[in-house]
Amino acid sequence: MARPAEVRQAAAPVSSRQAARRVRILRAASELSAREGLASVQMHDVAKEAGVAIATLYRYFPSKPYLFLSVLEWHIDQFLGGRDAEPAADDVTDPATEVAETLISLSGKLLSSHLLASAVALSSFTEYASVVPTQIDIVERSLGQRLLRLLGDRADAETGRSRVRLLVYSWWGLFVAMLTEEISTEQGEAALRLAARLITAQ
């Protein structure tokens, strides 16, 4: 019996031109999924929309789920980079409120395009995990780092990292519940505020 092919590792851009090409691919995938939904978007469509060869697309994004997980991360980076300068940790008097409002605003940004939000959510589900080339440490990603800074040094390092993981997991579960209309946006926001308050409590 033939063994399934191993998923290739994603290549990292090493020049500004390659970085721009990678962003062009992410933007094309975002626009296509926002118009058509995940199921209708094929990798060759993304390559054509981005103006790159299909081999180039697969070089940076070895699978469709990996591409859309990267789209999610890119949108989070765009959101965090576009916000007003975050307060220094010493100036954060209420970390629970800062954390909750960050996650609520991020949810609103992602939910503003239902099809795109569905695409990135579907690509994160368990059945896709086997084709994603690398495991992601959420604390090391941009959202995890932002939350860690908002928490400051109120706890030891490992406790802080555990709190960030709990916050991101809680946010993601509530985001999916809001996306699927299992709960209303208002219920989701209230639950995020409660989760932030409980998780950041001393």
Side-chain angles (χ1 to χ4, degrees), residues 120-197:
V120 296
L122 283 170
S123 291
S124 74
F125 290 165
T126 305
E127 62 262 36
Y128 290 96
S130 62
V131 296
V132 176
T134 57
Q135 294 296 318
I136 296 173
D137 182 353
I138 58 174
V139 181
E140 299 304 324
R141 313 306 272 191
S142 57
L143 180 59
Q145 288 295 299
R146 171 65 63 90
L147 298 181
L148 201 58
R149 288 194 294 275
L150 289 175
L151 292 178
D153 58 0
R154 301 165 67 246
D156 64 88
E158 192 48 48
T159 299
R161 294 173 70 85
S162 294
R163 285 178 174 170
V164 166
R165 291 188 185 96
L166 285 170
L167 287 164
V168 175
Y169 293 149
S170 299
W171 165 69
W172 186 251
L174 290 165
F175 168 76
V176 172
M178 288 186 283
L179 173 65
T180 58
E181 299 183 348
E182 179 183 344
I183 60 175
S184 68
T185 301
E186 291 76 16
Q187 289 172 318
E189 291 179 358
L192 274 170
R193 291 189 177 97
L194 176 60
R197 185 69 57 193

Side-chain angles (χ1 to χ4, degrees), residues 1 58 82 87 107 110 148 169:
M1 181 182 226
Y58 276 106
S107 296
L110 294 174
L148 201 58
Y169 293 149

